[in-house]
Amino acid sequence: MEMLNFAFMQRALLAALLVGIAAPAVGIYLVQRRQAIMGDGIGHVALTGVALGFLLSANPVWMAVLVSSLGAIAMELIRWYGKARGDIALAMLFYGGMAGGVMIINLAPNGSNANLTTYLFGSITTVSAEDIVAIVGLSVFVLLVSLGLRRQLFAICQDEEFARVTGLPVRLLNLLLAVTAAVTVTVAMRVVGLLLVSALMVIPVAAAQQATRGFAATLGLSVGFGVVVTLSGTVTSYFVDVPPGASIVVLAIVLFGVVTALAAPLARRRFRAAHPGGTGGKDSREDLRGEGGDASEADGGKAATGARGGVRTDGAAGTDRPSRV
């Protein structure tokens, strides 16, 4: 416990805790919409914001929030109107953000690419008191949106058309989710770095999917996994002297492998208990995939049915089996 005697480690652990909660709380919606790579794209755009902060002598975190939010809105507009060439536009936005950051940082007084390193790969031990204030404020915003509007966000992630029919402001919610993802990226960039932040938003959720079946359970477990890997990675970086961002992501991948290995036998056991006369053929294998948490088309239909029964986060309405994320 001697590390708690150092102020920089106190700030580092607090930042890791907040990021561990916020990143999976937003990532679960991106995974549900099959937009897991969105966090990586926003990270590229946020680099331009960081560089502008150095150029204008402003706080890089707040400039990154502004620029990445605008970039996330642009991504959402491209998704609506881009159609066939939307992927090309997104690619230009992603790589343009990275190139813009490198160019602008070299125009800043005493600026160089080295200034971007801590933001690209994370440097949690250099988090300042000012950074903590920004991280706390942004994390509160992220949690208010992702948890306070979980029913509405779950509805648009499951079935946008049905959500629109029920009267939900789908486009406004989509924009809000995009901005919340951008804020999450800027919160996490000091911990795991812009190049690795998408992993922290996705891997804990993917691990939780292997062990849970309902949306609420998956959300809770993914946040728990996020906290475990961020705190463990931070402590590991202190004792082993390795980069904290890399250690957090590696531990998250290890956790995913362990949960997957443990979840498969449990899924088989549940299936055999429910189908004692099963033949173990193709249908059985498909059911096992569903039991493991990897939503199939049939399961997606049941989840949508649950949403139509009255948007429920646990998916219980309209079906006797909880919808899964």
Side-chain angles (χ1 to χ4, degrees):
M1 301 298 292
E2 64 178 13
M3 65 180 177
L4 295 179
N5 295 326
F6 301 102
F8 75 91
M9 280 305 299
Q10 295 173 9
R11 293 192 296 268
L13 290 171
L14 177 58
L17 174 64
L18 294 172
V19 171
I21 295 173
V26 174
I28 191 170
Y29 301 108
L30 301 183
V31 171
Q32 178 72 1
R33 299 177 66 174
R34 294 177 175 84
Q35 292 180 334
I37 202 65
M38 184 177 180
D40 188 52
I42 295 175
H44 284 68
V45 177
L47 190 65
T48 296
V50 172
L52 280 174
F54 283 103
L55 179 63
L56 302 177
S57 299
N59 188 315
V61 174
W62 291 111
M63 285 301 298
V65 169
L66 175 61
V67 174
S68 61
S69 296
L70 294 175
I73 292 173
M75 292 178 203
E76 192 61 27
L77 293 175
I78 291 171
R79 187 176 74 88
W80 290 344
Y81 303 113
K83 296 183 180 179
R85 295 191 175 273
D87 58 335
I88 298 176
L90 287 174
M92 289 191 293
L93 184 65
F94 293 171
Y95 299 122
M98 181 71 74
V102 173
M103 179 177 294
I104 292 172
I105 194 64
N106 284 280
L107 296 176
N110 301 320
S112 67
N113 293 340
N115 297 116
L116 298 179
T117 302
T118 58
Y119 294 92
L120 284 172
F121 300 102
S123 181
I124 194 171
T125 55
T126 62
V127 174
S128 65
E130 186 180 6
D131 291 332
I132 286 294
V133 172
I135 290 173
V136 170
L138 295 172
S139 297
V140 170
F141 168 78
V142 169
L143 293 176
L144 285 176
V145 173
S146 59
L147 299 181
L149 296 176
R150 63 188 183 279
R151 295 177 183 273
Q152 292 85 349
L153 295 177
F154 175 77
I156 65 170
C157 291
Q158 279 293 109
D159 190 337
E160 280 193 9
E161 292 302 322
F162 180 75
R164 186 176 289 108
V165 170
T166 60
L168 289 176
V170 172
R171 289 195 172 181
L172 179 61
L173 288 170
N174 280 327
L175 288 174
L176 182 60
L177 179 59
V179 171
T180 304
V183 172
T184 305
V185 168
T186 56
V187 168
M189 69 181 181
R190 297 291 279 153
V191 177
V192 294
L194 293 172
L195 295 182
L196 298 175
V197 63
S198 186
L200 190 56
M201 298 172 72
V202 172
I203 297 176
V205 177
Q209 285 180 330
Q210 308 304 310
T212 58
R213 301 173 65 184
F215 176 77
T218 302
L219 175 60
L221 188 59
S222 61
V223 169
F225 284 162
V227 170
V228 168
V229 297
T230 51
L231 292 180
S232 300
T234 303
V235 173
T236 300
S237 68
Y238 174 81
F239 288 106
V240 185
D241 193 23
V242 294
S247 63
I248 289 171
V249 174
V250 168
L251 287 175
I253 294 173
V254 171
L255 177 65
F256 174 81
V258 171
V259 172
T260 302
L262 294 176
L266 292 176
R268 295 192 189 97
R269 192 173 298 115
R270 286 199 303 265
F271 174 77
R272 288 168 183 162
H275 304 82
T279 60
K282 180 180 178 181
D283 293 339
S284 300
R285 290 194 297 272
E286 290 177 352
D287 286 339
L288 286 176
R289 284 201 299 271
E291 290 290 325
D294 186 10
S296 62
E297 293 181 2
D299 293 329
K302 289 183 180 181
T305 302
R308 289 181 174 86
V311 181
R312 295 278 303 275
T313 56
D314 58 6
T319 177
D320 59 352
R321 181 177 180 182
S323 59
R324 293 190 299 277
V325 176

